[in-house]
């Protein structure tokens, strides 16, 4: 029987279990915020799937210190795939569903303050790549190389998407005043 507070996994790699538990404790909230800001309709499931993929592929990581960057990249990719899937499903739906406001989770509401909601709405209206670049840069505080790695694009493309996103966001925010 494991001692109280000891992570419990499949028992085959206790170091992996300890490392993942520490990674979860340090980064769950920021990964949840990232998925939410990128437009995921179910950020908790996206983040859970990202941690599961990291758990499965832990032995194949060349450098376990890069686990956070890998996790961030997986969250971005899963969110992007989820949004594409939903767009396809909605396009092929027989009858459009009545427009409803999405119900936010308790974690989502706790993360966002009222004064941020207007800005978040404007960010969500940006094209996906611009939104990803801005969220990774300004909310997650990543450097251009880290953003390029997470998005799977060049550093020059990161600069372009960020500049265009800021210009579009500035224009949208000024129009709302």
């Amino acid at each position: 029987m494991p001692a109280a507070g000891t992570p419990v996994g499949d028992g085959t790699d206790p170091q992996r279990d300890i490392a993942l538990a520490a990674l979860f404790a340090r980064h769950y909230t920021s990964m949840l915020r990232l998925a939410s800001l990128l437009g995921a309709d179910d950020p908790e499931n996206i983040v859970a799937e990202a941690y599961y993929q990291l758990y499965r592929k832990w032995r194949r990581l060349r450098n376990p210190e890069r686990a956070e960057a890998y996790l961030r990249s997986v969250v971005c990719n899963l969110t992007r795939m989820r949004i594409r899937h939903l767009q396809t499903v909605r396009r092929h739906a027989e009858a459009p569903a009545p427009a409803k406001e999405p119900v936010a989770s308790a974690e989502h509401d706790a993360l966002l303050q009222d004064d941020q909601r207007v800005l978040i709405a404007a960010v969500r209206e940006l094209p996906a790549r611009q939104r990803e670049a801005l969220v990774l840069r300004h909310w997650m505080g990543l450097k251009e190389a880290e953003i390029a790695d997470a998005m799977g694009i060049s550093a020059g493309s990161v600069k372009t998407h960020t500049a265009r996103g800021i210009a579009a966001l500035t224009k949208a925010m000024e129009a709302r005043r």
Side-chain angles (χ1 to χ4, degrees):
M1 188 87 177
T6 302
V8 179
D10 62 4
T12 59
D13 190 352
Q15 295 292 35
R16 172 185 62 184
D17 294 345
I18 291 167
L20 283 170
L23 192 67
F24 184 86
R26 281 193 315 268
H27 300 293
Y28 175 78
T29 302
S30 66
M31 294 301 153
L32 184 65
R33 183 178 298 120
L34 173 61
S36 179
L37 291 170
L38 291 178
D41 64 332
D42 56 351
E44 294 88 0
N45 288 337
I46 296 287
V47 174
E49 177 66 23
Y51 273 99
Y52 173 70
Q53 286 187 21
L54 178 60
Y55 177 83
R56 282 187 20 236
K57 297 179 182 180
W58 185 261
R59 288 183 188 96
R60 288 185 263 171
L61 283 178
R62 291 185 196 133
N63 183 356
E65 294 169 2
R66 300 256 314 135
E68 178 190 355
Y70 175 79
L71 189 62
R72 196 173 24 251
S73 179
V74 172
V75 168
C76 289
N77 289 333
L78 288 173
T79 301
R80 198 176 308 128
M81 289 185 325
R82 176 74 176 151
I83 290 170
R84 283 186 198 136
H85 172 74
L86 290 174
Q87 289 171 343
T88 302
V89 167
R90 289 178 185 138
R91 202 176 1 219
H92 297 309
E94 290 182 18
K100 295 190 308 187
E101 286 294 316
V103 177
S105 67
E107 291 92 343
H108 181 19
D109 286 342
L111 292 173
L112 301 176
Q113 299 293 325
D114 289 335
D115 58 344
Q116 295 173 324
R117 292 182 196 278
V118 172
L119 178 61
I120 298 300
V123 169
R124 286 189 173 148
E125 293 173 8
L126 294 173
R129 289 296 193 170
Q130 290 176 14
R131 181 176 60 243
E132 287 178 26
L134 287 176
V135 166
L136 290 169
R137 175 68 183 110
H138 296 286
W139 268 280
M140 301 297 293
L142 301 181
K143 297 174 183 158
E144 286 175 4
E146 294 172 316
I147 297 168
D149 187 38
M151 292 178 67
I153 59 177
S154 70
S157 294
V158 169
K159 290 178 185 180
T160 301
H161 289 306
T162 303
R164 289 179 182 169
I166 288 174
L169 191 57
T170 302
K171 184 177 177 181
M173 294 301 289
E174 288 175 357
R176 291 179 185 225
R177 290 184 184 193

